[in-house]
Amino acid sequence: RKEVEQDPGPFNVPEGATVAFNCTYSNSASQSFFWYRQDCRKEPKLLMSVYSSGNEDGRFTAQLNRASQYISLLIRDSKLSDSATYLCVVNPTFGSTLGRLYFGRGTQLTVWP
Amino acid sequence: DAGVIQSPRHEVTEMGQEVTLRCKPISGHNSLFWYRQTMMRGLELLIYFNNNVPIDDSGMPEDRFSAKMPNASFSTLKIQPSEPRDSAVYFCASSREAGGVEQYFGPGTRLTVT
């Protein structure tokens, strides 16, 4: 079983729509969680960290459900510039894997005018 | 501040040739990571270093791949001999410390082996 599983999409939504991505992780001891964004033919960049209490950054809201080992990202009022691939990332802080991040395959989003 | 620097940005080589990819991490960062990204397999960690010491190389596909970090400001990933299935984008990333902190990625090296 993969460490991080995501729905690959693609998600195609009109401008202004609300879209949600989900992700599950296999290691219940995982401690740190992130969403990264990757534009076409570019490197991944941190979008936001995910905290246990949930957190919001403008139009973006991230939620963590430890009981279900589930992470979500909600984008409200989608913009054309939100078109990208969104990577769910988990850091299981134990043993020799200390320091490494596990990346999901990514969910592709296209926002159309 | 300069970000993570990688060279070359593009490399086209013939099967059997040696390929060396280079990375300069962000100054002051103690951890360095090499990733490979393909459509089929997504982003895979190959190896990572902490304070110039290799910590986890379990992702290195086979003996044809080797990585070094002779000092805090430079790392190489070498493939010898290269094969067509090595074609991918290779990313280097660095972070301030090991363990659950933001990793900053370089622009990647797009490798094509014919």
Side-chain angles (χ1 to χ4, degrees):
Chain A
R1 183 182 171 188
K2 290 185 180 296
E3 293 285 341
V4 182
E5 302 257 20
Q6 287 184 256
D7 179 349
F11 286 67
N12 298 302
V13 302
E15 268 188 297
T18 295
V19 61
F21 306 137
N22 302 318
C23 159
T24 57
Y25 60 96
S26 61
N27 187 336
S28 61
S30 297
Q31 295 297 317
S32 305
F33 310 88
F34 309 90
W35 283 100
Y36 275 64
R37 170 191 169 132
Q38 186 173 21
D39 293 304
C40 186
R41 300 179 77 83
K42 298 285 189 180
E43 70 273 22
K45 292 184 179 179
L46 180 67
L47 176 66
M48 59 195 302
S49 300
V50 186
Y51 303 121
S52 295
S53 55
N55 48 300
E56 190 172 306
D57 183 2
R59 298 180 293 108
F60 298 82
T61 300
Q63 295 279 354
L64 168 65
N65 183 323
R66 285 189 181 274
S68 302
Q69 295 178 210
Y70 171 97
I71 305 162
S72 66
L73 177 68
L74 183 77
I75 305 176
R76 291 182 300 278
D77 188 22
S78 300
K79 311 291 185 191
L80 296 177
S81 57
D82 294 335
S83 297
T85 297
Y86 291 83
L87 305 169
C88 177
V89 185
V90 173
N91 171 233
T93 53
F94 63 90
S96 63
T97 63
L98 180 69
R100 68 167 298 170
L101 299 179
Y102 287 91
F103 284 77
R105 290 289 304 276
T107 299
Q108 185 179 344
L109 171 66
T110 300
V111 181
W112 45 272
Chain B
D1 277 345
V4 176
I5 298 172
Q6 290 188 247
S7 65
R9 295 291 304 275
H10 301 272
E11 176 81 28
V12 180
T13 191
E14 292 182 348
M15 186 173 77
Q17 296 297 307
E18 177 180 296
V19 175
T20 299
L21 311 181
R22 298 173 176 79
C23 175
K24 177 179 169 53
I26 294 172
S27 177
H29 281 194
N30 295 328
S31 295
L32 182 141
F33 307 79
W34 281 102
Y35 291 90
R36 177 173 68 178
Q37 188 174 41
T38 61
M39 289 292 292
M40 291 294 293
R41 300 172 69 89
L43 195 63
E44 303 174 279
L45 178 68
L46 300 177
I47 184 171
Y48 82 92
F49 297 83
N50 192 41
N51 292 321
N52 312 338
V53 176
I55 302 300
D56 183 354
D57 65 354
S58 59
M60 296 286 262
E62 48 200 271
D63 291 346
R64 297 184 298 106
F65 286 69
S66 62
K68 294 181 180 179
M69 192 165 185
N71 57 62
S73 59
F74 184 66
S75 178
T76 59
L77 178 68
K78 185 177 293 187
I79 308 172
Q80 166 64 19
S82 58
E83 297 182 2
R85 59 191 168 126
D86 301 331
S87 297
V89 180
Y90 291 81
F91 288 106
C92 175
S94 69
S95 65
R96 283 182 289 105
E97 57 191 58
V101 297
E102 180 179 1
Q103 292 182 12
Y104 296 80
F105 283 74
T109 295
R110 187 170 297 274
L111 173 66
T112 303
V113 183
T114 61

